[in-house]
Amino acid sequence: MRFLLIEDSEALASAVVERLHLDGHVVDHAGDLATAWDYVATTDYDLILLDIMLPDGDGRSFLERHRSADASTPVIVLTARSEVSDRVGLLDLGADDYMVKPIDFSELEARCRAVLRRRGGEARNLITLGNLGFDSLAGTLKIGGETVQLRTRELRLFEVFINAPGQIFSKSALVDRLFSYDEDPSENAIEVYVGRLRRRLAGSDVGITTVRGLGYKLEQT
């Protein structure tokens, strides 16, 4: 998944980015609202982590404008304010969840997973397709009951496909989902990861099909 973190504390931002990277997520960091708006204008994010007190404005104005534009990207607010009225106000503005600082990273990861499941309409963690089962919470893939080990980037690529079976993803779209602005991959990297993922899916009822001139899609074989 690709996240946007809007946070002016470099120390906290570095810690959050490092923790989410370990979980395989791509994270872009904006230290102010101006940078954040530049990012959301050019990139589709799966989740936004939003601080309230920023050097060039209030994060609540970002949240309000984001929702008024009918943007559906879920937002978790990071706030130092613990008063009930503040939390209620954030939810009323359109926040999907909030966390009070100081942040517990295990809780942050759990809240991210919960928000993303709600966004996808998943009541359970397990996604099944043919003889393939994917536990989005544990990040485990099983084929015919046998666990298949996926490396981090392979796991995140598979997550993109399994959440939208039949949808065609171009190479550029997959680059956008798997790599941050700090990285500079070529589209050939996507071919490598797709090739690896195809080998992992051998023996399943599911395959990644190349759609000439358009990209790739996941479908039952």
Side-chain angles (χ1 to χ4, degrees):
M1 297 290 183
R2 187 162 185 172
F3 296 173
L4 173 62
L5 171 63
I6 309 173
E7 168 62 57
D8 66 326
S9 168
E10 288 293 337
L12 176 58
S14 295
V16 171
V17 169
E18 182 178 356
R19 184 61 179 256
L20 293 175
H21 275 173
L22 289 174
D23 203 29
H25 299 295
V26 176
V27 185
D28 293 319
H29 170 225
D32 53 51
L33 292 177
T35 304
W37 283 120
D38 287 342
Y39 282 172
V40 297
T42 57
T43 304
D44 291 326
Y45 290 100
D46 297 292
L47 178 67
I48 296 173
L49 302 171
L50 173 65
D51 186 23
I52 292 299
M53 303 300 292
L54 294 159
D56 57 347
D58 192 317
R60 283 171 294 199
S61 65
F62 177 94
L63 177 59
E64 190 170 18
R65 179 177 163 189
H66 179 69
R67 289 295 179 236
S68 65
D70 291 330
S72 61
T73 307
V75 177
I76 297 177
V77 173
L78 311 178
T79 176
R81 299 177 178 179
S82 58
E83 291 81 3
V84 172
S85 59
D86 288 322
R87 301 198 300 267
V88 170
L90 291 168
L91 293 172
D92 284 342
L93 280 176
D96 295 87
D97 202 349
Y98 62 85
M99 288 192 67
V100 177
K101 298 178 181 179
I103 292 170
D104 179 89
F105 293 116
S106 295
E107 182 183 0
L108 175 62
E109 290 173 329
R111 287 180 180 268
C112 289
R113 290 192 296 266
V115 166
L116 290 168
R117 286 199 304 272
R118 291 200 299 269
R119 182 196 187 198
E122 297 174 33
R124 299 176 299 168
N125 298 321
L126 186 62
I127 303 172
T128 58
L129 194 62
N131 68 342
L132 179 150
F134 178 65
D135 188 324
S136 60
L137 182 59
T140 56
L141 171 66
K142 290 188 176 182
I143 297 175
E146 296 292 326
T147 299
V148 177
Q149 297 297 327
L150 297 178
R151 294 180 179 177
T152 300
R153 198 83 77 175
E154 296 165 357
L155 173 62
R156 294 310 165 199
L157 177 60
F158 181 71
E159 201 169 41
V160 172
F161 283 124
I162 196 64
N163 281 308
Q167 180 176 332
I168 299 172
F169 292 93
S170 67
K171 290 181 183 178
S172 61
L174 293 174
V175 165
D176 189 59
R177 297 293 293 274
L178 295 181
F179 299 94
S180 69
Y181 284 116
D182 294 333
E183 300 171 285
D184 187 27
S186 69
E187 292 187 358
N188 289 337
I190 297 300
E191 295 180 9
V192 172
Y193 286 116
V194 167
R196 291 179 182 174
L197 192 52
R198 279 173 168 157
R199 290 192 291 273
R200 305 285 192 227
L201 296 176
S204 76
D205 300 331
V206 175
I208 299 174
T209 302
T210 300
V211 182
R212 183 176 292 275
L214 296 177
Y216 305 100
K217 66 177 178 178
L218 185 76
E219 59 184 359
Q220 285 190 257
T221 55

